[in-house]
């Protein structure tokens, strides 16, 4: 029959319930040193934090659903580093992972999120009216604006770990919730299985379609299992509000449009999210959230707001300026290629977005994008006229 | 040491596991939820029917054999290494298959997988191995190379000869399932044994993690180096985890006996040489295998083998002998040319042959009638079959004169 059920040893100490898909107990016949991964060539947050002591402490544990520390770190062991970005190198398998493996994850969170302490509290602010400006970014430079976040549904395990039954359960619940949206949010769901060629072509042209992950950062974390079972894309009829189901998180929620009106994009984002959350709560499956880590997502880098708000902006001159990287750092922004993470810039067009996720609110993070991009466009214009931008370099935010 | 492992294998029950848990790091019981029946509740919430994979677009042996009833009976079972059915079939679920090439679609995580999940593996084995019924038949093992007759081909035509197989170390999980410690143990056991080989079999081990640039280049030039798997058939079966930890290549100084450690199986054993002396290749193969087996037995280890399935390997397609023997013959293309035939893989144009089966068809379209073209195909294939029969008996073959292309 199924896994070992809970046993009680002398002295009242209890072993973790070993759920299925948890092959930890047979590994315990080896010592921690024998199992410890070789991280000598590695450069990711996990490799920097994990010691033999922490590993020895955590290797005997498992969350109630059977996720173990080896499961958490597998992607970081398999992917020693990345040419463009310092990767996290670990994932959560469920809400409880962040508690069960806090000795490992708290220091990683601190490293990744600017010194965030285990005692810190995270503020959530999805009141779009608190955003100042953002409706006047120059469309000659700012080609498109986008805000995305993720949400996890309480009571289900996360994409690295969930079974087919759970993934389908998440999909079913999401379809019901999204189907009840109306007005500007009225839309349609397209499951990846059984998509027609016509639907697929249209979604590709709209830049909505997500593919089976090829990045080893994701595949080594088990997120592409059973593809495309339980995955799909929902978008509103206006094609300005989009939800991905069961890709890297339970839900990825995206608001976007051409041009530079980030204010409108953010308004739609906040209103849409709150509508969706209300419906999930009514079904007794609210979103995973707590006051320390904010919204709980698969990758520790997305904790807090899980928000990446950004623009595609033409900065051919500024991007080759000696101080470009420093400007970005001071503005608390990051750059990516226009293909998203793992890509390089094409033709001087960059994807500029907020670097922070945890420790500041949604409004604060989008405000930094709005203010920062506005400044950088002005710098670009100055450089076009052959003028210096030295006087414009901002202080560290 | 082998002793403690044998004890683990012999006493694979709850008490032994608990004792080892108690003796080792003390897991200070962790259960977040107050519900002590978390695991059981989850099982009821997700009955096997909700977890059954969608295999409608799939074409592999697993998809053909797996029914909801079988899945229902096997889903909640685990092997002594906690390996599950879902883990066995993951690669087959993730890789629907190819219309022309039928993959197996499942792997074993340990020796016990073939027993615990026999209800699924047995029909797959029967399907893949031409009706071999593991429930009633026994597999013969014969590594007596002296029995081979006429095993020497003309070097002028046979450029190289090669025999390969795999071997698994009993008591350690297979590549899809093994932990880092187990994989390192496989490497230790095998490398220690290989160090005992002498004479023409004496050689050296190259761990993938410690290769110098020079060594790496040499291994590439010799066509010995294997890479991290990129085929999703393997990566989805968890075989590339922790790469390149505990992977390596051993070969003898003469470069005629080669062993891959911890690639797709615990070991892949290859005997090869240039030219057509297949008898010598096979003789070395058998001798080398027997010596390695003896060397590991001296230390209390053995290969996974049983009389039902022969040698146990990761992929069901490699059970039994796990053997693939072949030659490169230069004359095949010339014969085809002169017969005005072309070869393709059994998947059609742009594919490779599966096994030793080729798609043979006429080259020409224009300038010859239908009857003439079909007759040429018939004559040509008959000739190839005669060649094949002659080679099976160890006799020589001739390249035929070119068939006239156009009517005079």
């Amino acid at each position: 029959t199924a896994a070992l059920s809970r046993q009680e040893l002398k002295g009242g100490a209890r072993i973790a319930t070993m759920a299925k898909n948890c092959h930890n107990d047979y590994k315990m016949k080896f010592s921690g040193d024998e199992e410890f991964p070789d991280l000598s060539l590695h450069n990711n947050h996990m490799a920097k934090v994990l010691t033999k002591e922490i590993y020895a402490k955590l290797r005997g544990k498992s969350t109630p659903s059977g996720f173990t520390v080896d499961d958490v770190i597998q992607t970081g062991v398999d992917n020693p580093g990345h040419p463009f970005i310092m990767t996290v190198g670990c994932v959560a398998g469920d809400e409880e992972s962040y508690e069960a493996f806090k000795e490992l994850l708290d220091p990683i969170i601190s490293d990744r999120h600017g010194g965030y302490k285990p005692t810190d509290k995270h503020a959530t602010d999805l009141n779009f009216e608190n955003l100042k400006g953002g409706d006047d970014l120059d469309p000659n430079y700012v080609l498109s604006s986008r805000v995305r976040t993720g949400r996890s549904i309480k009571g289900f395990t996360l994409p690295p770990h969930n079974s087919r039954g759970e993934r389908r359960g998440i999909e079913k619940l999401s379809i019901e919730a999204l189907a009840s949206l109306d007005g500007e949010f009225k839309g349609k769901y397209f499951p990846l299985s059984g998509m027609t060629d016509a639907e697929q072509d249209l979604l590709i042209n709209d830049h909505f379609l997500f593919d089976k992950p090829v990045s080893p950062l994701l595949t080594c974390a088990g997120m592409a299992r059973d593809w495309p079972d339980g995955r799909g894309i929902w978008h509103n009829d206006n094609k300005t509000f989009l939800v991905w189901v069961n890709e890297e998180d339970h839900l990825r929620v995206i608001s976007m449009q051409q041009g530079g009106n980030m204010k409108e994009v953010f308004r739609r984002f906040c209103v849409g999210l709150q509508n969706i959350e209300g419906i999930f709560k009514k079904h007794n499956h609210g979103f995973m959230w707590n006051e320390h880590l904010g919204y709980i997502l698969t990758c520790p880098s997305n904790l807090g707001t899980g928000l990446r708000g950004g623009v595609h902006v033409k900065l051919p001159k500024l991007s080759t300026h000696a101080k470009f990287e420093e400007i970005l750092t001071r503005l608390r922004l990051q750059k990516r290629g226009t293909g998203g993470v793992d890509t390089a810039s094409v033709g001087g067009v960059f994807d500029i977005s907020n670097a922070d996720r945890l420790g500041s609110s949604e409004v604060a993070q989008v405000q930094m994008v709005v203010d920062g991009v506005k400044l950088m466009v002005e710098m670009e214009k100055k450089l076009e006229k052959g003028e210096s931008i030295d006087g414009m370099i901002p202080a560290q935010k | 040491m082998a002793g403690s492992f044998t004890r683990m294998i012999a006493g694979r029950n709850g008490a032994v596991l608990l004792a080892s848990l108690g003796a080792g790091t003390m897991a200070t019981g962790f259960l977040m939820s107050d519900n002590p029946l978390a695991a059981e509740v989850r099982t009821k919430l997700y009955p096997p029917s909700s977890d059954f994979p969608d295999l409608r677009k799939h074409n592999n042996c697993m998809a053909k054999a797996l029914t909801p009833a079988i899945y229902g009976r096997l889903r909640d079972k685990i092997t002594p290494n906690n390996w599950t059915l879902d883990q066995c079939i993951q690669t087959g679920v993730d890789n629907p298959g190819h219309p022309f090439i039928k993959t197996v679609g499942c792997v074993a995580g340990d020796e016990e997988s073939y027993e615990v999940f026999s209800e699924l593996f047995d029909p797959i084995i029967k399907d893949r191995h031409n009706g071999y019924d593991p429930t009633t038949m026994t597999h013969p093992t014969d590594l007596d190379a002296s029995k081979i007759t006429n095993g020497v081909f003309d070097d002028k035509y046979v450029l190289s000869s090669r025999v390969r197989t795999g071997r698994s170390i009993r008591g350690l999980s297979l590549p899809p399932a093994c932990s880092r410690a187990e994989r390192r143990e496989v490497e230790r056991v095998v490398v220690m044994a290989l160090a005992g080989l002498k004479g023409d079999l004496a050689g050296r081990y190259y761990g993938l993690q410690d290769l110098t640039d020079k060594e790496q280049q040499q291994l590439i030039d010799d066509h010995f180096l294997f890479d991290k798997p990129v085929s999703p058939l393997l990566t989805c079966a968890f075989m590339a985890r922790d790469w390149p930890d505990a992977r390596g290549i051993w070969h003898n100084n003469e470069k005629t006996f080669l062993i891959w450690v911890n690639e797709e199986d615990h070991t892949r054993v290859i005997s090869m040489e240039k030219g057509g002396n297949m008898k010598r290749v096979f003789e070395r193969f058998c001798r080398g295998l027997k010596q390695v087996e003896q060397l590991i037995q001296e230390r209390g280890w053995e290969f996974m083998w049983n009389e039902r399935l022969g040698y146990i390997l990761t992929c069901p397609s490699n059970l039994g002998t796990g053997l693939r023997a072949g030659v490169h013959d230069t004359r095949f293309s010339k014969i085809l040319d002169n017969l005005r035939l072309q070869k393709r893989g059994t998947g059609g144009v742009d594919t490779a042959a599966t096994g030793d089966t080729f798609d043979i068809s006429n080259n020409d379209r224009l300038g010859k009638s239908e009857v003439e073209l079909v007759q040429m195909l018939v004559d040509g294939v008959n000739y190839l079959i005669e060649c094949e029969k002659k080679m099976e008996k160890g006799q020589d073959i001739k390249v035929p004169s070119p068939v006239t292309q156009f009517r005079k």
Side-chain angles (χ1 to χ4, degrees):
Chain A
T1 56
L4 289 175
S5 54
R6 201 156 73 172
Q7 305 276 348
E8 301 218 315
L9 295 181
K10 273 188 218 163
R14 294 189 309 225
I15 322 174
T17 294
M18 295 297 176
K20 69 181 173 74
N21 284 341
C22 164
H23 46 232
N24 232 29
D25 43 354
Y26 91 101
K27 280 192 244 180
M28 297 308 288
K29 69 191 179 214
F30 294 95
S31 72
D33 278 8
E34 286 173 318
E35 285 288 359
F36 193 77
D38 182 347
L39 301 173
S40 47
L41 295 173
H42 288 59
N43 181 41
N44 56 51
H45 286 296
M46 181 278 293
K48 282 192 141 50
V49 167
L50 186 68
T51 61
K52 289 190 172 176
E53 291 69 38
I54 294 177
Y55 187 71
K57 206 167 171 194
L58 296 180
R59 64 187 292 249
K61 284 187 175 180
S62 127
T63 65
S65 74
F67 209 63
T68 65
V69 75
D70 279 332
D71 295 327
V72 170
I73 67 174
Q74 189 68 59
T75 179
V77 176
D78 289 344
N79 297 291
H82 191 281
F84 302 149
I85 51 181
M86 174 76 161
T87 51
V88 176
C90 62
V91 292
D94 49 21
E95 190 167 7
E96 295 84 351
S97 297
Y98 287 105
E99 194 55 40
F101 307 113
K102 57 196 290 76
E103 276 97 342
L104 172 65
L105 294 174
D106 279 350
I108 290 174
I109 288 167
S110 176
D111 263 358
R112 181 60 174 212
H113 296 283
Y116 196 76
K117 296 189 292 294
T119 47
D120 284 339
K121 301 269 182 277
H122 171 82
T124 293
D125 183 359
L126 283 161
N127 190 345
F128 64 91
E129 282 164 356
N130 290 341
L131 184 70
K132 300 187 195 27
D135 52 357
D136 57 351
L137 297 173
D138 189 336
N140 291 319
Y141 294 84
V142 179
L143 307 178
S144 63
S145 310
R146 179 185 190 264
V147 179
R148 70 87 161 147
T149 190
R151 290 291 185 262
S152 307
I153 303 169
K154 236 176 143 57
F156 294 93
T157 61
L158 298 173
H161 190 44
N162 55 22
S163 67
R164 283 179 292 272
E166 283 195 288
R167 204 184 294 113
R168 291 161 180 171
I170 293 161
E171 188 190 31
K172 187 156 178 280
L173 204 52
S174 303
I175 291 173
E176 275 179 49
L178 295 166
S180 58
L181 294 175
D182 62 7
E184 63 173 321
F185 296 108
K186 186 160 173 313
K188 192 180 160 193
Y189 182 69
F190 302 87
L192 252 53
S193 312
M195 192 176 276
T196 67
D197 285 344
E199 287 168 338
Q200 185 170 297
D201 286 342
L202 194 54
L203 287 168
I204 290 173
N205 287 338
D206 290 328
H207 304 285
F208 283 176
L209 190 64
F210 63 87
D211 265 330
K212 178 168 175 173
V214 291
S215 167
L217 301 177
L218 301 181
T219 56
C220 294
M223 299 204 225
R225 289 171 302 127
D226 314 312
W227 203 274
D229 197 320
R231 276 85 168 190
I233 292 164
W234 179 97
H235 69 79
N236 65 351
D237 296 338
N238 299 340
K239 297 186 181 179
T240 53
F241 195 73
L242 169 67
V243 178
W244 289 352
V245 179
N246 285 319
E247 192 236 10
E248 192 183 329
D249 280 294
H250 288 169
L251 304 173
R252 282 287 175 97
V253 179
I254 303 152
S255 169
M256 60 212 256
Q257 65 192 53
Q258 299 296 321
N261 194 345
M262 182 59 96
K263 192 180 184 69
E264 172 61 15
V265 169
F266 189 56
R267 181 204 66 79
R268 190 184 317 113
F269 176 81
C270 295
V271 173
L273 258 181
Q274 275 154 348
N275 288 352
I276 295 171
E277 178 155 24
I279 300 164
F280 273 98
K281 273 197 180 135
K282 259 195 271 179
H283 283 81
N284 289 320
H285 278 287
F287 294 147
M288 290 184 198
W289 180 95
N290 69 48
E291 62 172 6
H292 166 50
L293 295 176
Y295 288 101
I296 304 292
L297 293 175
T298 304
C299 182
S301 68
N302 282 322
L303 292 166
T305 61
L307 187 144
R308 198 171 88 83
V311 299
H312 281 181
V313 57
K314 281 196 264 197
L315 299 171
K317 287 199 154 29
L318 183 61
S319 60
T320 54
H321 191 283
K323 293 219 162 78
F324 184 47
E325 297 288 342
E326 196 183 330
I327 291 166
L328 285 172
T329 305
R330 291 187 181 199
L331 292 173
R332 310 194 70 80
L333 299 175
Q334 64 171 215
K335 72 177 198 299
R336 296 183 185 190
T338 48
V341 73
D342 280 6
T343 66
S345 150
V346 174
V349 180
F350 286 84
D351 176 320
I352 303 290
S353 61
N354 56 297
D356 301 329
R357 303 272 186 274
L358 183 61
S360 52
S361 74
E362 288 80 355
V363 166
Q365 289 167 9
V366 175
Q367 191 69 64
M368 278 190 252
V369 175
V370 161
D371 296 345
V373 169
K374 197 161 182 196
L375 179 63
M376 290 198 292
V377 168
E378 280 166 32
M379 287 177 166
E380 180 73 19
K381 288 175 178 174
K382 271 248 155 84
L383 291 172
E384 276 171 17
K385 290 190 236 161
E387 291 169 17
S388 156
I389 57 166
D390 288 345
M392 296 170 78
I393 310 281
Q396 177 68 54
K397 280 197 180 293
Chain B
M1 285 307 291
S4 57
F5 280 107
T6 337
R7 253 186 290 124
M8 282 306 298
I9 298 159
R12 228 179 262 285
N13 55 50
V16 179
L17 288 164
L18 285 176
S20 69
L21 276 167
T25 57
M26 194 52 176
T28 50
F30 188 82
L31 200 65
M32 269 316 283
S33 127
D34 286 346
N35 184 358
L37 300 173
E40 287 89 308
V41 167
R42 287 178 60 79
T43 305
K44 287 194 181 72
L45 210 56
Y46 297 102
S49 57
S50 76
D51 265 340
F52 190 77
D54 181 352
L55 301 172
R56 287 171 297 170
K57 294 214 179 84
H58 288 58
N59 179 40
N60 56 49
C61 297
M62 180 279 292
K64 198 162 156 214
L66 186 69
T67 64
I70 294 177
Y71 186 75
R73 285 190 286 273
L74 297 182
R75 185 194 71 159
D76 295 333
K77 288 195 173 179
I78 52 171
T79 69
N81 297 310
N82 286 95
W83 190 249
T84 65
L85 182 75
D86 279 332
Q87 285 165 312
C88 286
I89 66 173
Q90 189 67 61
T91 179
V93 176
D94 289 345
N95 296 292
H98 192 280
F100 304 139
I101 304 166
K102 190 128 176 251
T103 48
V104 176
C106 66
V107 291
D110 50 17
E111 188 167 6
E112 294 84 351
S113 296
Y114 287 107
E115 303 306 317
V116 175
F117 308 118
S118 61
E119 209 184 334
L120 176 64
F121 275 102
D122 284 350
I124 288 174
I125 289 165
K126 199 166 174 199
D127 186 10
R128 183 58 178 218
H129 294 281
N130 300 315
Y132 180 85
D133 188 346
T135 59
T136 57
M137 296 170 161
T138 54
H139 168 82
T141 291
D142 187 355
L143 285 161
D144 182 356
S146 67
K147 293 180 182 166
I148 299 289
T149 58
N150 301 313
V152 184
F153 303 121
D154 192 334
D155 273 11
K156 220 180 347 176
Y157 305 115
V158 177
L159 302 185
S160 64
S161 310
R162 183 184 190 265
V163 181
R164 72 91 161 142
T165 190
R167 290 291 185 264
S168 310
I169 310 292
R170 176 161 279 162
L172 296 167
S173 304
L174 297 170
C178 64
S179 70
R180 282 179 292 273
E182 285 192 298
R183 201 185 294 113
R184 293 163 180 170
E185 188 71 4
V186 169
E187 186 188 37
R188 250 196 307 273
V189 170
V190 172
V191 171
M192 213 157 44
L194 294 171
L197 291 174
K198 297 182 179 24
D200 68 319
L201 293 178
R204 218 201 106 166
Y205 182 69
Y206 301 85
L208 249 53
Q209 282 156 286
D210 307 312
L211 283 179
T212 64
D213 286 344
K214 192 155 169 269
E215 288 168 341
Q216 183 167 300
Q217 195 52 54
Q218 186 61 55
L219 287 168
I220 290 172
D221 293 339
D222 290 328
H223 302 287
F224 284 174
L225 190 63
F226 63 88
D227 267 329
K228 179 169 174 170
V230 291
S231 166
L233 300 177
L234 300 182
T235 56
C236 293
F238 321 109
M239 299 205 223
R241 285 172 304 126
D242 314 311
W243 202 274
D245 198 320
R247 273 83 167 191
I249 292 161
W250 181 98
H251 68 78
N252 66 349
N253 299 327
E254 297 180 9
K255 298 187 181 177
T256 53
F257 194 63
L258 166 68
I259 297 181
W260 287 352
V261 180
N262 285 320
E263 192 235 10
E264 193 183 327
D265 278 295
H266 283 174
T267 66
R268 283 288 175 93
V269 179
I270 302 152
S271 171
M272 62 216 252
E273 54 182 72
K274 300 223 190 305
N277 197 340
M278 180 59 95
K279 188 173 168 76
R280 188 165 62 207
V281 167
F282 188 56
E283 182 275 326
R284 185 185 314 112
F285 177 81
C286 297
R287 183 164 47 90
L289 272 175
K290 289 206 198 98
Q291 286 190 25
V292 173
E293 181 158 28
Q294 207 172 322
L295 287 161
I296 66 169
Q297 280 170 345
E298 282 168 11
R299 290 172 175 80
W301 297 93
E302 52 182 2
F303 291 144
M304 290 183 196
W305 179 93
N306 67 49
E307 61 168 15
R308 203 169 70 90
L309 299 174
Y311 287 101
I312 304 292
L313 293 173
T314 304
C315 182
S317 67
N318 283 322
L319 290 168
T321 61
L323 188 142
R324 200 169 91 84
V327 300
H328 280 156
D329 188 313
T330 54
R331 290 168 297 177
F332 190 34
S333 298
K334 188 78 186 131
I335 293 169
L336 288 176
D337 274 353
N338 286 0
L339 294 174
R340 304 212 58 71
L341 298 176
Q342 60 175 232
K343 77 176 194 300
R344 294 180 187 188
T346 48
V349 73
D350 280 5
T351 66
T354 45
D356 300 309
T357 311
F358 287 89
D359 173 327
I360 306 291
S361 59
N362 54 297
N363 247 344
D364 302 325
R365 302 272 182 273
L366 192 56
K368 280 191 144 51
S369 75
E370 289 82 0
V371 166
E372 281 175 317
L373 288 177
V374 173
Q375 187 61 59
M376 272 174 64
L377 176 72
V378 164
D379 291 345
V381 172
N382 273 329
Y383 190 87
L384 286 172
I385 291 172
E386 282 310 305
C387 287
E388 189 70 22
K389 286 181 179 171
K390 283 193 170 164
M391 291 180 90
E392 277 169 10
K393 291 190 223 150
Q395 294 166 7
D396 200 3
I397 60 172
K398 282 187 174 50
V399 176
S401 335
V403 170
T404 51
Q405 191 168 357
F406 290 110
R407 258 193 288 259
K408 291 251 185 331

